[in-house]
């Protein structure tokens, strides 16, 4: 009985070993790799050995009847396949103990098959996942050699799996240092890695890898998941570059840039903002903008608050055209005058997340504007009011005339002033003018106004003074000048003065008429022998003046009717031909005398404007200019633009724009080559009409030049309303840049402001090489004057142009 029990135990143990080996083989059949094959071979040997032991023990020490009884069991077990879909059919001969044993075995086989079915379902699910995932999975051994990789590697890198299995991981890495990071990381680690594609290109992969250890903690390999991050990383790199560029830009610009969150709290200041607000960014972060930045309306002298709140509330950009004075710690003024722009910042859903504030510092511009305004209204040598300011004061005095108030005007012209300049130079002449101005200022009342009108001419407004008293006062001033002695370099000069006196009465139309009367009286004083006073009387002087005007009017009418006006051309040369390769040409009006000599049209133009026929001359010039330019064709290809002068009366002539538009549209001339020149005085006097004229003709493609700039402009604000393309610096300023540092500074300031506004600058009256070199140093774009070229008839322009081109090429 004991022997039978031991046999039964041995049989059960052997059978269990066989079944366990079969289950392990089934599980490993769903894995892959070399280790799996070795393990399955070992288990197969164990299974076979178990069957042999089972059979041997069953046959050993048994009786023949027992052998015959157990043979069906052994045959059935031998035919059973737990891995297959169907088990062998149980033989009917099994009964008794063998039957119970067969029941147990059969039950165990069914349980293993059910476990196999579950493993098969799980295996199929994993395979579907691997087919649908675009990421690449891989295994390596302890040496970093790839032992397994998914098929998705073909789409990602171009390799077939069998091409990579057995290769070292380092062979695929563009940076060899990445190998240890991927193989030695004990925890799952995501590492951007550059990997070679099969075609040699480099791809960025985001590899999540970790080391695989055995039960003893020894590394036996690694496993990882690769995701293509080329586009993501390249996009991130591009964003980083843009961010760096934006930060460098914000750090470099001259404007203060501040950003806030949706509550108005500051979250960024660029370096310029730190400087202007006198606060570091770490100290400003989180503070409300209004707490660190205080504004005062410069014009109204009132505090301006809540700018950020207005922007957040309205959701629109806020621009403040008025000048605001910036305070960092009220009431201590920082000295910054700014223009403020505030715009909302929105997220992808268009919700406001904050604001960006730009403070444009116009302190220096305002300072230059004030300086130019003062210089435009004051003489730079004597510091007296200049002609423009004097004319404005004269207009005011004219409006104050009534039955109880009368004023007088004196026009003082120094005699022998040219002798001082010619003998001792302009510095001596300037010093003499300063001393004369100071001497005359001590001789007049505080309510009177003394001004330098230009050259050696002075004007004086004597308020509440009759013409007789004015004549007496003028004689006192003439006597004072006559007594004056000017000493320079051991030379002593005595001067005289011719003084014209005119009454400021209701008969005068405007300041120009008053000045004309006083100038006429002064001219007659000179005619009568100089160094005397002459009072204007309408009977004599008016007749003489009208007689001269009528004579000139007749000549103008004849020239217009007979087409005897001529156009001359004077080159406007680019100072640096690398920057401005093309020439400019100014078209100048000339008229011939009866003997055929060429006369300057200056006197004719004054008479024409006085009698309102200047627009007729402007139309003749424009029509003739377009005809000549059209005829020249390609011969004048090197000429970049033609400058055509327009009088102040044409600016106010509403029909002139239509006339010019008709000529330009009918001709084949490129409108961009036509530059209309308007004088600064005419533009300022008729700002609205000048603006309309400029906008209308610029719409056709024409350009504009502001002529004689610096002679009387009070503020650069006119340039905003009168958009120009060129600024022609007044020749009187240019003439003195070598001798007068103040006038040179004015020329430099005009050039800097003009170029800052995108305008090209032209210097007039360039008479010497030294002046041209000085203008080149200043940075002026173009030069015009006798040193560059003298005016020539338009018909000679082609040959002169060819000569200039040959000279330039020879240089």
């Amino acid at each position: 009985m004991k022997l039978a029990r031991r046999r039964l135990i041995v049989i059960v143990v052997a059978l269990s070993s066989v079944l366990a080996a079969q289950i392990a083989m089934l599980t490993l059949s769903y894995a892959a790799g070399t280790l799996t094959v070795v393990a399955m071979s070992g288990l197969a040997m164990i299974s076979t050995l178990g069957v042999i032991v089972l059979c041997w023990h069953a046959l050993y020490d048994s009786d023949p009847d027992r052998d015959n009884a157990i043979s069906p069991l052994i045959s059935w077990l031998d035919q059973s396949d737990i891995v297959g879909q169907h088990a062998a059919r149980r033989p009917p001969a099994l009964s008794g103990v063998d039957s119970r044993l067969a029941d147990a075995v059969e039950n165990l086989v069914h349980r293993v098959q059910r476990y196999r079915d579950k493993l098969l379902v799980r295996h199929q699910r994993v395979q579907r996942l691997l087919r649908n995932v675009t990421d690449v999975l891989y295994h390596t051994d302890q040496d970093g050699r790839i032992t397994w990789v998914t098929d998705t590697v073909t789409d990602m890198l171009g390799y077939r799996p069998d091409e990579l299995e057995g290769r070292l991981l380092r062979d695929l890495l563009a940076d060899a240092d990445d190998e240890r990071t991927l193989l030695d990381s004990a925890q799952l680690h995501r590492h951007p890695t550059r990997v070679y594609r099969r075609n040699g290109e480099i791809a960025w992969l985001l590899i999540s890898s970790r080391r695989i250890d055995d039960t003893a903690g020894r590394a036996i390999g690694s496993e990882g998941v690769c995701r293509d991050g080329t586009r993501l990383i390249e996009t991130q790199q591009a964003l980083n570059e843009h961010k760096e560029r934006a930060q460098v830009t914000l750090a470099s610009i001259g404007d203060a840039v501040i950003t806030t969150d949706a509550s108005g709290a500051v979250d960024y200041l660029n370096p310029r903002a730190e400087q202007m607000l006198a606060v570091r960014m770490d100290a400003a972060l989180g503070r409300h903008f209004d707490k660190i930045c205080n504004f005062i309306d410069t014009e109204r002298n009132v505090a301006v608050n809540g700018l950020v709140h207005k922007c957040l509330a309205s959701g629109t950009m806020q621009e403040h055209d008025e000048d605001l004075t910036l305070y960092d710690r009220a009431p201590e003024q920082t000295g910054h005058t700014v223009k403020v722009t505030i715009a909302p910042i929105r997220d992808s859903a268009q919700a406001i997340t904050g604001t960006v504030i730009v403070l444009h510092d116009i302190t220096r511009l305002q300072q230059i504007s004030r300086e130019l305004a003062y210089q435009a209204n004051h003489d730079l040598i004597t510091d007296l009011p200049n002609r423009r300011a004097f004319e404005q004061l004269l207009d005011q005095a004219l409006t104050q005339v009534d039955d109880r108030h009368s004023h007088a005007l004196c026009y003082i012209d120094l005699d022998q002033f040219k002798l001082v300049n010619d003998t001792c130079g302009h510095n001596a002449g300037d010093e003499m003018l300063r001393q004369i101005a100071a001497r005359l200022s001590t001789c007049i009342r505080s309510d009177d106004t003394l001004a330098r009108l230009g050259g050696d001419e002075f004007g004086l407004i004597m308020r509440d003074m009759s013409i007789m008293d004015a004549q007496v006062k003028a004689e006192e001033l003439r006597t004072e000048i006559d007594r004056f002695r000017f000493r320079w370099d051991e030379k002593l000069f005595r001067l005289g003065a011719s003084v014209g006196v005119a009454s400021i009465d209701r008969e005068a139309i405007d300041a120009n008429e008053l000045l004309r009367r006083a100038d006429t009286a002064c001219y007659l004083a000179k005619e009568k022998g100089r160094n005397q006073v002459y009072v204007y009387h309408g009977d004599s002087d008016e007749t003489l003046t009208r007689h001269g005007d009528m004579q000139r009017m007749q000549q103008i009418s004849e020239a217009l009717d007979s087409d005897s006006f001529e156009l001359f051309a004077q080159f406007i040369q680019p100072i640096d031909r690398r920057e401005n390769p093309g020439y400019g040409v100014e078209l100048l009006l000339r008229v011939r005398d009866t003997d055929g000599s060429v006369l300057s049209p200056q006197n004719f133009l004054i008479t024409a404007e006085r009698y309102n026929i200047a627009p007729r001359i402007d139309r003749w010039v424009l029509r003739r200019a377009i005809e000549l330019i059209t005829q020249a064709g390609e011969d004048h290809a090197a000429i970049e633009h033609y400058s055509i002068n327009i009088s102040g009366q044409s600016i106010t002539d509403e029909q002139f724009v239509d006339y010019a538009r008709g000529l330009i549209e009918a001709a084949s001339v490129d409108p961009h080559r036509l530059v209309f020149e308007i004088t600064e005085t005419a533009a300022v006097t008729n700002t609205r009409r000048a603006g309309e004229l400029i906008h209308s003709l610029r719409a056709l493609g024409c350009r504009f030049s502001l002529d004689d700039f610096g002679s009387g402009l009070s503020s650069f604000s006119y340039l905003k309303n009168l958009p120009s393309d060129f600024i022609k610096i007044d020749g009187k300023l240019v003439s003195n840049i070598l001798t007068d540092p103040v006038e040179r500074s004015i020329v430099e300031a005009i050039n800097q402001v003009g170029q800052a506004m995108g305008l090209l600058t032209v210097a007039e009256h360039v008479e010497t090489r030294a002046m041209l070199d000085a203008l080149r140093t200043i940075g002026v774009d173009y030069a015009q004057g006798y040193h560059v070229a003298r005016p020539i008839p338009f018909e000679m322009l082609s040959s002169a142009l060819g000569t200039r081109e040959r000279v330039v090429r020879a240089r």
Side-chain angles (χ1 to χ4, degrees):
M1 185 65 180
K2 292 181 179 180
L3 180 61
R5 183 173 299 174
R6 285 197 301 272
R7 290 175 178 173
L8 181 60
I9 292 173
V10 171
I11 291 172
V12 171
V13 171
L15 182 59
S16 299
S17 300
V18 172
L19 292 176
Q22 291 288 328
I23 292 171
M25 291 174 63
L26 175 62
T27 304
L28 288 174
S29 67
Y30 297 113
T34 304
L35 291 177
T36 302
V37 176
V38 174
M40 290 182 65
S41 300
L43 291 174
M45 293 177 63
I46 294 173
S47 177
T48 304
L49 182 61
V51 173
I52 294 174
V53 171
L54 178 62
C55 295
W56 174 79
H57 199 277
L59 296 174
Y60 177 74
D61 197 19
S62 61
D63 56 57
D65 294 335
R66 182 65 176 174
D67 292 342
N68 293 332
I70 204 170
S71 293
L73 176 61
I74 293 174
S75 176
W76 177 67
L77 289 174
D78 188 47
Q79 296 176 11
S80 297
D81 180 14
I82 63 174
V83 180
Q85 294 292 328
H86 304 285
R89 178 175 298 180
R90 178 177 174 177
L94 296 177
S95 61
V97 175
D98 296 330
S99 176
R100 290 195 302 273
L101 178 60
D103 289 340
V105 171
E106 187 174 25
N107 182 48
L108 182 60
V109 168
H110 286 313
R111 290 168 60 189
V112 170
Q113 287 180 336
R114 285 196 300 272
Y115 181 65
R116 177 207 61 191
D117 294 339
K118 292 180 180 179
L119 287 178
L120 181 61
V121 171
R122 192 171 301 170
H123 171 72
Q124 292 172 346
R125 187 179 300 155
V126 170
Q127 291 298 319
R128 284 195 302 271
L129 288 174
L130 291 178
R131 284 194 299 270
N132 294 329
V133 172
T134 58
D135 294 348
V136 173
L137 285 67
Y138 72 91
H139 291 168
T140 68
D141 58 18
Q142 64 270 26
D143 297 325
R145 198 176 301 277
I146 299 173
T147 59
W148 174 74
V149 64
T150 56
D151 295 340
T152 50
V153 73
T154 303
D155 295 332
M156 187 175 293
L157 299 178
Y159 295 99
R160 298 191 309 275
D162 58 351
E163 291 180 305
L164 295 179
E165 292 176 357
R167 291 185 61 178
L168 290 172
L169 184 62
R170 74 169 70 97
D171 294 341
L172 302 179
L173 302 178
D175 301 312
D177 295 340
D178 291 337
E179 181 186 24
R180 299 322 316 167
T181 303
L182 298 176
L183 297 180
D184 296 344
S185 178
Q187 302 297 327
L188 194 63
H189 176 73
R190 190 174 189 179
H191 182 66
T193 308
R194 296 194 309 148
V195 177
Y196 290 111
R197 299 184 191 271
R198 196 175 191 278
N199 59 7
E201 296 178 354
I202 292 181
W204 279 98
L205 301 186
L206 300 176
I207 302 179
S208 300
S209 64
R210 67 175 179 178
R211 189 182 68 235
I212 301 175
D213 298 337
D214 59 11
T215 56
R218 294 186 298 269
I220 61 174
S222 70
E223 60 185 1
V225 178
C226 307
R227 175 164 294 177
D228 192 347
T230 303
R231 180 175 298 179
L232 175 63
I233 293 176
E234 289 179 349
T235 301
Q236 185 63 46
Q237 289 177 339
L239 289 175
N240 291 338
E241 292 177 0
H242 286 303
K243 180 180 178 181
E244 178 67 20
R245 188 178 297 111
Q247 290 177 339
V248 171
T249 301
L250 287 174
S252 303
I253 62 177
D255 291 342
V257 180
I258 306 130
T259 61
T260 72
D261 60 18
S263 66
V266 174
D267 54 27
Y268 173 78
L269 300 175
N270 75 336
R272 178 57 177 159
E274 291 180 314
Q275 179 185 3
M276 290 179 62
L277 300 179
V279 60
R280 295 182 57 84
M281 182 163 65
D282 53 0
L285 293 180
R287 298 175 60 188
H288 197 278
F289 176 75
D290 289 342
K291 298 297 183 181
I292 65 172
C293 193
N294 300 285
F295 297 109
I296 296 293
D297 188 325
T298 307
E299 183 176 347
R300 296 180 295 170
N301 196 30
V302 295
V304 178
N305 298 313
L307 301 180
V308 172
H309 175 73
K310 292 179 182 178
C311 178
L312 292 171
S314 65
T316 59
M317 183 172 67
Q318 304 290 313
E319 291 184 306
H320 297 270
D321 293 331
E322 64 273 12
D323 298 342
L324 302 180
T325 302
L326 174 64
Y327 291 76
D328 60 349
R329 298 290 184 272
E332 298 177 2
Q333 185 174 351
T334 64
H336 296 291
T337 303
V338 297
K339 293 287 189 182
V340 182
T341 302
I342 306 178
I345 302 174
R346 300 179 184 273
D347 59 16
S348 58
Q350 295 302 304
I352 297 178
T353 61
T355 63
V356 57
I357 304 133
V358 178
L359 307 180
H360 180 55
D361 192 349
I362 60 172
T363 306
R364 178 56 181 163
L365 183 61
Q366 274 207 338
Q367 181 181 354
I368 293 175
S369 180
R370 285 193 296 267
E371 291 174 355
L372 288 175
Y374 182 85
Q375 293 165 0
N377 287 283
H378 290 78
D379 176 55
L380 298 179
I381 296 176
T382 63
D383 207 32
L384 295 175
N386 60 12
R387 187 183 189 94
R388 179 179 181 276
F390 188 75
E391 289 178 353
Q392 292 177 342
L393 294 172
L394 200 54
D395 279 328
Q396 293 177 7
L398 187 59
T399 61
Q400 296 168 357
V401 173
D402 53 31
D403 295 335
R404 295 178 299 172
H405 299 279
S406 61
H407 312 303
L409 170 64
C410 286
Y411 199 103
I412 305 170
D413 191 342
L414 301 179
D415 298 328
Q416 305 303 322
F417 174 73
K418 188 174 184 299
L419 178 62
V420 178
N421 272 340
D422 294 343
T423 304
C424 301
H426 290 285
N427 289 337
D430 293 345
E431 177 60 26
M432 191 203 69
L433 289 173
R434 280 189 284 268
Q435 294 184 20
I436 288 289
R439 200 175 189 97
L440 292 177
S441 297
T442 62
C443 300
I444 61 175
R445 301 170 302 173
S446 59
D447 291 340
D448 297 339
T449 300
L450 178 66
R452 184 187 174 204
L453 304 182
D456 57 355
E457 299 170 347
F458 292 85
L460 174 63
I461 301 175
M462 294 178 287
R463 293 177 175 83
D464 293 322
M465 185 175 290
S466 66
I467 191 65
M468 295 180 61
D469 292 338
Q471 183 177 5
V472 173
K473 187 63 177 180
E475 184 62 33
E476 292 178 5
L477 296 176
R478 187 203 62 78
T479 302
E480 187 68 25
I481 295 173
D482 188 56
R483 293 173 180 172
F484 173 72
R485 300 294 182 268
F486 177 68
R487 186 179 298 275
W488 185 271
D489 290 341
E490 304 303 325
K491 296 182 178 65
L492 190 64
F493 297 92
R494 176 179 178 177
L495 301 178
S498 299
V499 184
V501 181
S503 176
I504 302 176
D505 52 33
R506 295 179 178 179
E507 294 181 4
I509 301 174
D510 53 22
N512 290 329
E513 175 66 18
L514 287 172
L515 284 172
R516 186 189 64 78
R517 292 180 181 182
D519 184 33
T520 300
C522 182
Y523 175 79
L524 292 176
K526 286 180 177 290
E527 287 291 311
K528 291 180 178 294
R530 296 178 182 273
N531 198 26
Q532 58 182 283
V533 177
Y534 189 90
V535 178
Y536 174 82
H537 295 287
D539 295 340
S540 58
D541 293 342
E542 189 71 17
T543 301
L544 293 173
T545 302
R546 185 169 180 80
H547 176 73
D549 287 343
M550 290 299 98
Q551 192 174 30
R552 285 187 288 270
M553 279 291 295
Q554 184 179 359
Q555 291 175 315
I556 292 173
S557 299
E558 291 176 355
L560 287 172
D561 295 339
S562 61
D563 217 22
S564 59
F565 280 126
E566 294 182 24
L567 285 184
F568 274 47
Q570 186 177 26
F571 281 104
I572 302 174
Q573 175 179 302
I575 296 179
D576 187 351
R577 294 204 65 188
R578 295 172 297 179
E579 296 290 336
N580 304 292
Y583 291 103
V585 169
E586 182 176 3
L587 302 182
L588 305 171
L589 183 66
R590 294 291 185 266
V591 63
R592 294 192 181 274
D593 201 0
T594 54
D595 59 356
S597 61
V598 177
L599 299 178
S600 172
Q602 189 63 33
N603 293 331
F604 292 95
L605 293 179
I606 292 175
T607 302
E609 290 194 352
R610 183 176 296 149
Y611 294 95
N612 299 318
I613 61 170
R616 288 187 58 193
I617 298 177
D618 291 340
R619 295 188 182 202
W620 184 93
V621 170
L622 180 58
R623 177 181 57 80
R624 183 59 177 161
I626 290 178
E627 290 175 357
L628 294 174
I629 295 170
T630 303
Q631 294 171 7
E634 292 299 319
D635 292 343
H636 289 186
I639 297 177
E640 194 269 342
H641 68 270
Y642 298 86
S643 293
I644 302 173
N645 291 279
I646 300 178
S647 67
Q649 292 178 358
S650 289
I651 293 176
T652 59
D653 184 1
E654 296 181 358
Q655 298 179 354
F656 180 80
V657 173
D658 294 334
Y659 177 81
R661 183 186 293 112
L663 288 178
I664 295 170
E665 291 177 347
S668 59
V669 177
D670 181 5
H672 190 70
R673 300 178 71 189
L674 300 180
V675 177
F676 292 98
E677 290 192 9
I678 57 177
T679 63
E680 177 188 13
T681 303
V684 171
T685 305
N686 306 282
T687 304
R688 183 183 63 82
R689 285 294 305 145
E692 294 174 356
L693 174 73
I694 291 174
H695 286 295
S696 298
L697 294 183
R698 279 172 67 95
L700 298 177
C702 301
R703 292 181 287 175
F704 275 81
S705 176
L706 195 58
D707 198 9
D708 296 333
F709 189 85
S711 62
L713 185 62
S714 62
S715 172
F716 275 136
S717 61
Y718 288 112
L719 292 179
K720 298 179 181 178
N721 300 323
L722 301 173
S724 302
D725 304 281
F726 296 81
I727 290 179
K728 297 192 76 171
I729 305 173
D730 186 32
K732 294 179 182 178
L733 297 175
V734 176
S735 299
N736 296 324
I737 60 173
L738 298 179
T739 58
D740 190 340
V742 175
E743 296 199 1
R744 180 185 176 110
S745 298
I746 295 175
V747 172
E748 290 176 346
I750 293 173
N751 182 68
Q752 291 174 2
V753 174
Q755 292 184 349
M757 297 180 70
L759 308 179
L760 295 171
T761 53
V762 182
E764 300 178 308
H765 295 189
V766 180
E767 310 297 340
T768 65
R769 175 72 184 205
M771 293 175 63
L772 183 63
D773 292 339
L775 293 169
R776 179 179 290 107
T777 301
I778 293 173
V780 176
D781 299 306
Y782 290 88
Q784 181 181 2
Y786 279 6
H787 176 72
V788 175
R790 290 179 176 271
I792 59 175
F794 189 93
E795 291 76 12
M796 298 175 59
L797 196 56
S798 296
S799 59
L801 186 62
T803 302
R804 296 185 71 85
E805 289 296 319
R806 287 192 294 273
V807 171
V808 170
R809 287 194 294 270
R811 291 177 180 172

